[in-house]
Amino acid sequence: MDSPVNGGKTHECAEPLSRGDGMTKSLNLALQGGGAHGAFAWGVLDRLIEDERIDISAISATSAGAMNAVVMSYGTSIGGREGAREKLTQFWSEISRVGALYSPVKAYPWETMMQAFGYRTEFPLGYMAMQAMTHLFSPYQLNPFNFNPLRDVLSNVVDFERLSYCNKATRLYLSATNVRTGKIRVFENHELSVDAVLASACLPYAFKAVEIGGEAYWDGGFMGNPAIFPLIYQGTSRDVVIVHINPIHRERVPTTAPEIFDRINEISFNSSLMRELRAVEFITRLVDEHQLDTKSYKRMFMHSIRDDAEMTSLGVATKLSPEWSFLCRLRDSGRARTDEWLKENFDKLGNASSIDLKETFL
């Protein structure tokens, strides 16, 4: 069927992830952002796509999660499950290649020489220099031509025109923050572009605000990391699986300046999600207690895939690490954790939540 949003224009697309035999379980995904740590979500997606019992109905995503989402959805549109997995591998391979050229945490020769003479630092010198500069100067001063290597990576991996016209691509809801109003903006499939994805991932201390339709946007994590409401209002599945990148709980209190800065980011980028889940828990409790009309209020089943032990062990600078071995380590961690989650919770899909919202998020 033609897409009315795009004037009836569509592209030939691969079949969706569902086998169409009534044996699959449909779920929605909510993907957090987190820089290079988003490779953990790559592993989660790779394992879910591999399982033919799983139908990914829709994805709400932010920042690195938004990149994973568009790459997966595009890969699905051109090659089904294998196409999605191949495109995700291509994307992260490109991230590693480009990051080796531009990342502030790559191994600089002069830093290697200093280490050879016994100098050690918890944080790469390039990272510390970048942190200092971004606290003194804005990207409008440091990066006047608004250079962003992610633009070329996304353009090389994803055909956004085809994706926006494909009526079989996974439904996407990408969050960005309107700089002027402070409100969340959710971009859907027919609105997708390189700029929409970069807006969702625009860290204001590193890049100029992304202008779309006369409005300026920053990283969606400030207002929805990720947003759950599109999956409740518009998703066809009642199961929402949140893929966490930013640790919610840390045992050790940060004491160094970069650690404090990182923990502030974790708390602020988790705050919108936790507020939304508080509301979901409240409505769910009222539905379960038969205080709300089930015809007007949908009972949602909430799930969580996370590895706080792995994420809390990583230094803040690794969010900018382009090392292929490091990205693959996170991918493998995501795959392993998802494999465990499927074994423990597959039967709960469509029937019950696998997390206690009140205990975990309130």
Side-chain angles (χ1 to χ4, degrees):
M1 183 173 67
D2 288 343
S3 170
V5 178
N6 293 299
K9 184 177 180 181
T10 60
H11 283 293
E12 290 296 323
C13 302
E15 288 301 313
L17 295 185
S18 174
R19 291 183 299 183
D21 57 6
M23 299 300 292
T24 58
K25 289 197 175 185
S26 177
L27 57 81
N28 298 318
L29 291 176
L31 305 181
Q32 281 197 320
H37 293 184
F40 175 83
W42 166 28
V44 173
L45 289 171
D46 191 68
R47 180 63 186 89
L48 290 175
I49 295 165
E50 185 180 66
D51 194 325
E52 294 190 355
R53 301 173 301 167
I54 298 293
D55 169 22
I56 300 174
S57 174
I59 303 176
S60 179
T62 297
S63 198
M67 296 184 189
N68 274 322
V70 296
V71 170
M72 192 217 82
S73 185
Y74 175 63
T76 301
S77 76
I78 62 173
R81 293 178 185 272
E82 285 308 308
R85 297 181 68 195
E86 289 172 5
K87 276 295 176 182
L88 283 165
T89 300
Q90 179 190 355
F91 171 74
W92 284 100
S93 177
E94 284 291 296
I95 289 293
S96 180
R97 181 186 64 81
V98 172
L101 299 175
Y102 301 110
S103 173
V105 300
K106 67 180 183 179
Y108 290 93
W110 49 269
E111 189 169 18
T112 303
M113 289 179 60
M114 293 177 68
Q115 291 174 349
F117 283 99
Y119 179 82
R120 293 290 184 271
T121 177
E122 182 180 357
F123 304 100
L125 297 181
Y127 173 80
M128 292 193 294
M130 183 202 73
Q131 286 286 88
M133 293 292 285
T134 56
H135 282 69
L136 292 173
F137 303 99
S138 83
Y140 295 82
Q141 298 166 303
L142 290 175
N143 188 9
F145 297 105
N146 207 26
F147 172 70
N148 188 340
L150 289 174
R151 178 178 294 276
D152 288 339
V153 171
L154 286 166
S155 297
N156 290 338
V157 175
V158 177
D159 181 341
F160 282 92
E161 181 180 12
R162 179 190 178 100
L163 177 60
S164 65
Y165 291 148
C166 177
N167 58 3
K168 292 181 180 177
T170 307
R171 302 310 303 169
L172 301 179
Y173 305 98
L174 309 186
S175 298
T177 301
N178 187 305
V179 179
R180 296 184 179 92
T181 68
K183 295 179 180 179
I184 191 171
R185 167 69 191 276
V186 178
F187 295 93
E188 299 186 34
N189 290 55
H190 65 277
E191 304 169 295
L192 293 183
S193 65
V194 173
D195 283 338
V197 182
L198 293 179
S200 181
C202 180
L203 293 174
Y205 56 80
F207 301 105
K208 295 180 181 180
V210 178
E211 297 277 346
I212 300 175
E215 292 291 345
Y217 295 98
W218 281 343
D219 195 293
F222 295 113
M223 296 305 295
N225 193 22
I228 303 299
F229 69 87
L231 302 176
I232 296 175
Y233 296 159
Q234 302 182 54
T236 57
S237 172
R238 293 197 296 169
D239 291 276
V240 175
V241 180
I242 304 168
V243 180
H244 295 268
I245 301 298
N246 302 294
I248 294 174
H249 179 80
R250 280 186 180 269
E251 288 292 338
R252 191 173 69 85
V253 175
T255 56
T256 66
E259 287 175 341
I260 292 170
F261 181 76
D262 186 46
R263 187 55 180 156
I264 290 172
N265 275 345
E266 286 177 350
I267 292 172
S268 61
F269 278 0
N270 276 326
S271 62
S272 58
L273 174 64
M274 295 182 75
R275 284 194 299 271
E276 240 188 315
L277 291 176
R278 184 187 298 268
V280 171
E281 191 278 334
F282 177 67
I283 296 298
T284 297
R285 180 156 37 89
L286 293 180
V287 170
D288 289 346
E289 294 173 354
H290 306 290
Q291 297 186 44
L292 292 177
D293 181 7
T294 55
K295 293 181 180 179
S296 302
Y297 294 89
K298 182 166 56 175
R299 176 56 159 92
M300 302 299 296
F301 302 124
M302 304 301 297
H303 313 274
S304 174
I305 297 178
R306 57 200 285 193
D307 190 345
D308 280 4
E310 172 75 6
M311 291 304 177
T312 55
S313 72
L314 303 176
V316 54
T318 61
K319 288 186 176 181
L320 300 175
S321 174
E323 294 295 327
W324 181 243
S325 59
F326 174 69
L327 299 178
C328 289
R329 166 189 160 186
L330 287 175
R331 176 204 61 193
D332 293 344
S333 175
R335 279 187 56 88
R337 185 65 194 96
T338 305
D339 191 63
E340 294 172 1
W341 183 86
L342 285 169
K343 291 175 181 176
E344 296 170 2
N345 301 295
F346 180 80
D347 290 339
K348 292 182 179 179
L349 291 173
N351 298 304
S353 295
S354 61
I355 54 171
D356 185 326
L357 290 177
K358 186 174 182 179
E359 179 181 347
T360 306
F361 299 106
L362 274 64

